[in-house]
Amino acid sequence: MILLLVAAVLGGTFLAWSAQAGSPGPRGHRHGHEAVGGRSGLSSVDLAGWARTQITSDKERHTQPHGRTAASPAPSASPAAARTGTGTVRRAGFVRAAAAADPTTLVLYDTAGPYGRLGELYAMAAANLAGHFGTVTAKPVQQYTAGMIGSYTAVLYIGSTYYCCDVPDAIPAAFYQDVSTSTKPVIWMGANIWNMANSVGVAQFTQRYGWDPTTSYYEDGGSVGTVTQVTYKNQALTRKIPAGQDGGVLRPHVLTGPGYPAVTRLADGLDSSNGHTFGWAVRSSNLTYVGEIPFAYVSESDRVIVAEDLLFDALAPATAERHRAMLRLEDISPASDPADLRAMADYLYAQKIPYGINVIPVYKDPKGTYNNGTAQTITLVQRPQVVSALKYMLARGAVLMNHGYTHQYGNVANPYDGVTGDDFEFYRAHVDSADNVVYDGPVAEDSALWAQGRVAAALTQFTLAGLPKPALWTTPHYAASAADYKVFSSNFSARLERSLYFSGTLSGDSAGPNAFIGQFFPYVVKDVYGTKVLPENIGNYEPDAFNNHPARLPADLIASARANLAVRDGFASFFYHPYYPTQPLKETVDGIKALGYTFVSPTSL
């Protein structure tokens, strides 16, 4: 999902997100990218087809009776005016249920229709975020039974299947009724809110919530437009979706006049095609409504930040404002320059900045790409000066982290040249004719036993070099199978990374070995694999363009850190390659500090 989008074209659709793909290092290496999940972070899902279906269904609903009863009061503002943001809204006020000591979240998702498998992928993304706060239960919405809402602190529904026309409504009437009568916070993303209004009665819905979903549509003036920006807490967040893959954002028809409660506009969407603004996220009574599912095509400065912060209102409303930063130095191997490592250590020690050091214990160049055609393997034991530099760093505030065993795969290009730091280790990939990195699936021999063997071999190399056991793990290029992730987490207290979450994790019914959603986090989470993941959410310094991605400079990292200030207790977490000069790191650190972030150690979380 990011815009340091990692260009991996996955089965025709994606979820964009950042993680740099390699650009040449000092010896020509293309290391640098910890890419995750392709342009969208969504693999094996036809988002273009889904978008067409959603828009077509919305047009058909627009032509049908709206379900308004004779007793339902007519709105005092025209639907067109309300949809373009001219209706009156209030920007404060939210009836909250008391916060639970150990918040529990129920995540409900769609499984019906031709794009039913999309629901589980989005549900995992939502469940991972809710895992920051407490226990999460995720299940298909069809399994909801009357009164279930009462067992949870809050409920989050992901409306990814548009129930209309040829797809009958799969949401139990009991869910609609319970939402409309409960005081428990409910966050509703995407489709089908109009079906709730019709089910409980449009008059009942509008009199409690102050807006009418049955006259709210994805279109404004006959088109879904081009929603390119969402403003939240004075931060202008991006929304960049490729042409033909945008299913639109619902524009709430806010009602005014006696008898209607005020509606809080939490975030403003901007349609750049006509300049109209509207409530991208609105709240009244117990219901927070977000007009789309913001887990596709995201970036480090993306509107998904709104959803990440809104969860605090439902699950931890008393959370105090706090902004922490985290740094790790990346792709350190036996081939690294000890002088570079010591220079970084001296700078960061002088600044009193704790940091992680991601070390690959064995360097391989099986084709002699950087060794005049002669294959080369180097271990830490064979580079005592590198080991000495690592110990120097550890004595000055660094935390040792394990970044794979060899950070490459066999003797093949995967996808570049087979060299440590350049290639994937636990996943296969190739570069297509359009210069995109394409994810192909787990390596052929992938299994928990195989992954454990590589972890054990890596840990042995640290021991032989006289180094302590690494405290944390980062997956090479952020890509591995579900089985691999569980192995990593059984060996380390946490992973510091972005991750892939595979179809079948919740349902037990996989859509295939390469069907996943990629995700990164603004805070620590317990994910759907049951493991602790530390955040990396603003990418890395990359001075050169690569694989259709632009350069990413200190100003870009600082801008992303500024956008993430909207998360009330979030991080600005990034990584840096020590073969680059110290000055860009200094600029980045100074800029992040100036925003009010405090740097903390990865092991403090």
Side-chain angles (χ1 to χ4, degrees):
M1 305 183 183
I2 291 183
L3 220 48
L4 242 269
L5 300 55
V6 101
V9 179
L10 307 163
T13 142
F14 348 96
L15 239 109
W17 58 338
S18 191
Q20 296 289 62
S23 76
R27 293 196 297 160
H29 286 220
R30 291 178 60 89
H31 38 217
H33 87 287
E34 300 308 334
V36 165
R39 294 194 176 204
S40 70
L42 270 177
S43 173
S44 302
V45 178
D46 178 12
L47 282 183
W50 170 84
R52 287 193 300 271
T53 297
Q54 173 150 295
I55 293 169
T56 299
S57 296
D58 202 59
K59 288 180 178 178
E60 185 166 342
R61 179 173 68 90
H62 201 166
T63 64
Q64 295 173 349
H66 298 150
R68 185 177 300 282
T69 65
S72 301
S76 59
S78 72
R83 287 197 299 275
T84 57
T86 57
T88 301
V89 295
R90 187 177 67 182
R91 297 176 183 271
F94 173 42
V95 178
R96 293 190 179 102
D102 182 19
T104 57
T105 305
L106 175 62
V107 175
L108 300 171
Y109 60 96
D110 295 323
T111 59
Y115 301 98
R117 289 192 178 275
L118 188 58
E120 182 187 17
L121 299 177
Y122 286 146
M124 288 190 289
N128 287 336
L129 293 175
H132 171 70
F133 301 91
T135 305
V136 183
T137 300
K139 58 180 58 190
V141 69
Q142 296 97 314
Q143 296 179 13
Y144 184 88
T145 56
M148 192 178 287
I149 193 173
S151 301
Y152 298 90
T153 307
V155 175
L156 177 55
Y157 166 65
I158 311 294
S160 60
T161 296
Y162 196 119
Y163 295 125
C164 173
C165 320
D166 295 331
V167 182
D169 193 351
I171 300 176
F175 178 61
Y176 293 141
Q177 188 62 36
D178 285 354
V179 171
S180 70
T181 57
S182 176
T183 59
K184 293 293 182 76
V186 175
I187 299 176
W188 189 304
M189 296 181 179
N192 306 316
I193 189 70
W194 48 85
N195 289 335
M196 174 179 161
N198 283 326
S199 178
V200 303
V202 176
Q204 178 177 325
F205 186 100
T206 57
Q207 288 165 9
R208 183 174 192 193
Y209 297 115
W211 64 285
D212 185 357
T214 68
T215 53
S216 302
Y217 304 101
Y218 292 88
E219 291 188 344
D220 177 13
S223 167
V224 297
T226 308
V227 181
T228 56
Q229 180 178 291
V230 175
T231 302
Y232 178 68
K233 291 185 173 180
N234 298 317
Q235 297 296 334
L237 307 173
T238 59
R239 182 179 185 272
K240 298 183 179 181
I241 298 180
Q245 304 219 16
D246 191 351
V249 184
L250 193 79
R251 326 250 173 147
H253 175 187
V254 176
L255 306 178
T256 59
Y260 294 122
V263 176
T264 301
R265 184 184 287 186
L266 301 168
D268 288 343
L270 170 65
D271 188 338
S272 60
S273 69
N274 55 25
H276 293 169
T277 61
F278 61 94
W280 185 88
V282 297
R283 177 183 294 147
S284 49
S285 188
N286 67 319
L287 179 65
T288 298
Y289 177 74
V290 179
E292 64 170 325
I293 303 169
F295 298 131
Y297 292 106
V298 307
S299 76
E300 291 89 346
S301 304
D302 186 77
R303 86 284 194 205
V304 73
I305 289 170
V306 183
E308 294 164 347
D309 185 66
L310 288 178
L311 288 174
F312 284 93
D313 288 342
L315 295 165
T319 300
E321 194 84 10
R322 178 173 56 166
H323 302 290
R324 290 172 285 177
M326 195 158 56
L327 164 67
R328 74 175 195 262
L329 300 181
E330 193 76 348
D331 287 341
I332 299 170
S333 81
S336 294
D337 185 339
D340 291 342
L341 302 181
R342 289 175 178 271
M344 290 288 166
D346 289 341
Y347 162 68
L348 293 169
Y349 182 70
Q351 294 296 311
K352 296 182 172 58
I353 294 176
Y355 58 101
I357 50 175
N358 247 344
V359 179
I360 310 157
V362 175
Y363 172 88
K364 283 184 172 291
D365 182 355
K367 299 179 180 181
T369 301
Y370 305 115
N371 193 41
N372 299 316
T374 301
Q376 187 176 37
T377 297
I378 312 172
T379 66
L380 285 170
V381 170
Q382 294 170 320
R383 288 293 187 269
Q385 290 183 318
V386 171
V387 174
S388 176
L390 294 176
K391 291 179 178 178
Y392 184 83
M393 300 173 94
L394 293 176
R396 286 158 178 76
V399 171
L400 187 62
M401 300 169 57
N402 191 172
H403 193 29
Y405 176 39
T406 64
H407 203 315
Q408 54 82 240
Y409 176 67
N411 299 325
V412 299
N414 190 36
Y416 300 117
D417 49 30
V419 179
T420 289
D422 294 1
D423 281 15
F424 292 73
E425 181 172 350
F426 294 88
Y427 219 77
R428 293 306 308 271
H430 70 276
V431 178
D432 68 12
S433 59
D435 196 32
N436 297 310
V437 177
V438 180
Y439 285 41
D440 299 318
V443 299
E445 63 269 53
D446 182 64
S447 69
L449 182 62
W450 177 82
Q452 180 59 52
R454 296 193 73 81
V455 171
L459 293 177
T460 296
Q461 292 298 321
F462 286 107
T463 300
L464 291 174
L467 292 167
K469 179 185 176 182
L472 303 167
W473 169 274
T474 299
T475 306
H477 287 344
Y478 292 156
S481 70
D484 297 340
Y485 285 123
K486 293 174 183 177
V487 167
F488 306 150
S489 295
S490 70
N491 286 273
F492 303 91
S493 61
R495 306 193 316 270
L496 196 173
E497 62 183 21
R498 306 177 180 197
S499 304
L500 307 183
Y501 296 95
F502 289 84
S503 168
T505 299
L506 301 180
S507 66
D509 181 19
S510 174
N514 202 36
F516 59 77
I517 186 169
Q519 192 174 15
F520 58 95
F521 309 107
Y523 33 61
V524 179
V525 306
K526 183 177 181 181
D527 69 9
V528 294
Y529 297 142
T531 60
K532 183 178 180 180
V533 184
L534 309 187
E536 185 279 279
N537 63 325
I538 66 170
N540 64 290
Y541 170 73
E542 179 52 63
D544 302 307
F546 65 93
N547 294 126
N548 296 313
H549 304 312
R552 190 159 172 83
L553 304 177
D556 300 304
L557 293 168
I558 294 164
S560 292
R562 181 179 296 106
N564 276 276
L565 288 171
V567 180
R568 69 197 70 180
D569 187 14
F571 281 77
S573 178
F574 69 105
F575 62 94
Y576 193 88
H577 292 90
Y579 50 72
Y580 288 125
T582 304
Q583 183 59 31
L585 176 60
K586 181 181 185 301
E587 292 174 18
T588 304
V589 167
D590 288 349
I592 290 174
K593 279 184 173 181
L595 292 172
Y597 285 93
T598 300
F599 278 86
V600 298
S601 171
T603 55
S604 70
L605 306 179

